[in-house]
Amino acid sequence: MTKFSAYVVTNEPTFTAALTTCDVTDLPDGDVLVKVAYSDVNYKDALAAKENGGVIRTYPMTPGIDLAGEVVESQNPNFSVGDQVLLTGYGLGVSHPGGFSQYQRVPAEWLIKRPETLSAKDSMRYGTAGFTAALAVAELEKLALAKEEPIVVTGASGGVGSISIALLHKLGYTNIIALSRKKEAEWLLTLGATELADPADWQPEKIKPLAKQTVAAVIDTVGGSLLSALLPQIRYGGGAFLCGNAGGIKIETTVLPFILRGIRVIGIDSVNVDTTIRQELWQHLATDWNVADQLYGQEITFEALPETLASLLAGTHQGRTIIKVAAEA
């Protein structure tokens, strides 16, 4: 098959984002050709498909920062035809055409072989969001907290937040506070959250350098004023694990929570993670950390993609959305 479908963004002669018929010869450089089975939809993808979204610099471009599929051609000795693979991060869907395509050619060093116990569909139920959540939870585990200690997850109805809750519950944590402005987010309780709260309830009018120690750890996908309010509330020896900036990139704080309570702040980057760490965490997600069947979300086809992208930009999207990309045999 030389012709296939891809969702392509271009700015010539005007900005458009649409399903397009492409040819394999149009694909970028790379030593492995993958027949894509599934991808998923992230906020970064929505920005990539938006004019002046700040993600894409070179057009035309195929968004999609994640993909899972089967190797159909390989010039790299580490991968053979028929290998089941997945890819999240690096430049995929940003500087290199991405997963919203039935075929994609990628650098071999970006790929990992998908664990045998994890289907392509389930791997994209996780995607970058799940991998980011796993990175954050792995760092939180290093705190060696008692399982009943209170843990706050911000942006809880999003992909990273909701999967973090499911993973924490899977690992035995019993006091998980989900912060979400969404009015219909009760499904977070079924994932393992023990309390659902409005972020405003955790933001006093005046933020003090040190506040009452109410939480042992925070997995934060929001940043901004909410994170500024939470840092002074973290207990001695606790930590904050930062995964996003939906509420802004600036925070206001002092050194006091760090030097008087010994809290640590760890940044979570999921884009350029070492391959060994990737393989280790994906193996966890496929086995002892596997929560794929519990995750809240939906499966769509390319035709429903514009609506899903719009809901992400509007802030109404919840959970995870995966895309069945595979061409008919």
Side-chain angles (χ1 to χ4, degrees):
M1 177 185 231
T2 59
K3 300 291 184 182
F4 61 92
S5 295
Y7 192 81
V8 178
V9 178
T10 184
N11 63 349
E12 293 182 0
T14 58
F15 183 87
T16 58
L19 194 60
T20 305
T21 299
C22 302
D23 192 279
V24 170
T25 59
D26 300 327
L27 291 174
D29 292 338
D31 38 14
V32 180
L33 178 64
V34 178
K35 182 180 181 181
V36 183
Y38 283 91
S39 184
D40 58 74
V41 192
N42 302 275
Y43 185 70
K44 195 171 185 178
D45 300 319
L47 290 175
K50 175 181 180 290
E51 188 172 12
N52 299 319
V55 170
I56 292 177
R57 299 287 185 270
T58 304
Y59 294 90
M61 181 59 64
T62 302
I65 62 173
D66 302 327
L67 64 79
E70 180 179 335
V71 173
V72 292
E73 291 179 11
S74 176
Q75 281 75 51
N76 185 284
N78 294 323
F79 294 94
S80 302
V81 172
D83 282 349
Q84 303 299 310
V85 294
L86 66 87
L87 196 168
T88 65
Y90 296 103
L92 194 72
V94 177
S95 58
H96 185 102
F100 294 175
S101 177
Q102 292 177 330
Y103 287 83
Q104 195 54 267
R105 187 177 285 115
V106 297
E109 59 267 24
W110 290 4
L111 288 169
I112 68 166
K113 293 180 181 178
R114 178 165 47 80
E116 291 183 3
T117 57
L118 187 68
S119 69
K121 184 175 183 177
D122 282 351
S123 72
M124 291 297 96
R125 282 194 171 107
Y126 293 125
T128 285
F131 182 60
T132 303
L135 286 164
V137 169
E139 289 293 336
L140 184 148
E141 282 272 86
K142 295 177 183 178
L143 295 178
L145 299 174
K147 297 300 185 181
E148 67 274 10
E149 291 279 6
I151 299 171
V152 163
V153 179
T154 71
S157 63
V160 177
S162 60
I163 299 174
S164 294
I165 290 169
L167 291 174
L168 290 168
H169 179 67
K170 179 80 170 182
L171 292 174
Y173 292 92
T174 60
N175 192 355
I176 307 167
I177 304 157
L179 302 191
S180 176
R181 291 189 175 90
K182 302 288 172 56
K183 301 300 182 185
E184 299 178 352
E186 291 82 4
W187 55 273
L188 293 169
L189 300 174
T190 67
L191 284 184
T194 47
E195 180 183 341
L196 184 60
D198 191 313
D201 296 339
W202 288 73
Q203 294 179 262
E205 288 187 14
K206 184 177 181 180
I207 298 174
K208 298 178 181 179
L210 290 174
K212 185 177 179 181
Q213 300 179 59
T214 55
V215 60
V218 175
I219 293 180
D220 177 62
T221 71
V222 175
S225 60
L226 179 56
L227 177 59
S228 300
L230 288 170
L231 288 174
Q233 301 181 55
I234 298 175
R235 293 181 180 178
Y236 189 91
F241 306 92
L242 313 188
C243 311
N245 59 1
I249 62 173
K250 295 182 179 180
I251 60 172
E252 295 184 11
T253 189
T254 71
V255 298
L256 296 185
F258 311 100
I259 64 174
L260 296 183
R261 291 182 178 166
I263 74 165
R264 64 202 69 182
V265 172
I266 305 294
I268 304 299
D269 169 61
S270 61
V271 176
N272 296 299
V273 179
D274 179 79
T275 298
T276 301
I277 296 174
R278 288 180 183 273
Q279 291 171 332
E280 178 182 338
L281 284 179
W282 278 107
Q283 189 62 36
H284 276 308
L285 289 170
T287 54
D288 54 321
W289 291 15
N290 195 340
V291 293
D293 61 345
Q294 302 171 32
L295 302 181
Y296 177 86
Q298 61 177 337
E299 178 180 327
I300 64 170
T301 60
F302 275 139
E303 287 70 24
L305 185 52
E307 181 181 354
T308 300
L309 294 170
S311 70
L312 277 159
L313 293 173
T316 58
H317 185 269
Q318 296 194 51
R320 297 287 292 147
T321 295
I322 60 173
I323 311 172
K324 186 176 182 180
V325 177
E328 295 299 326

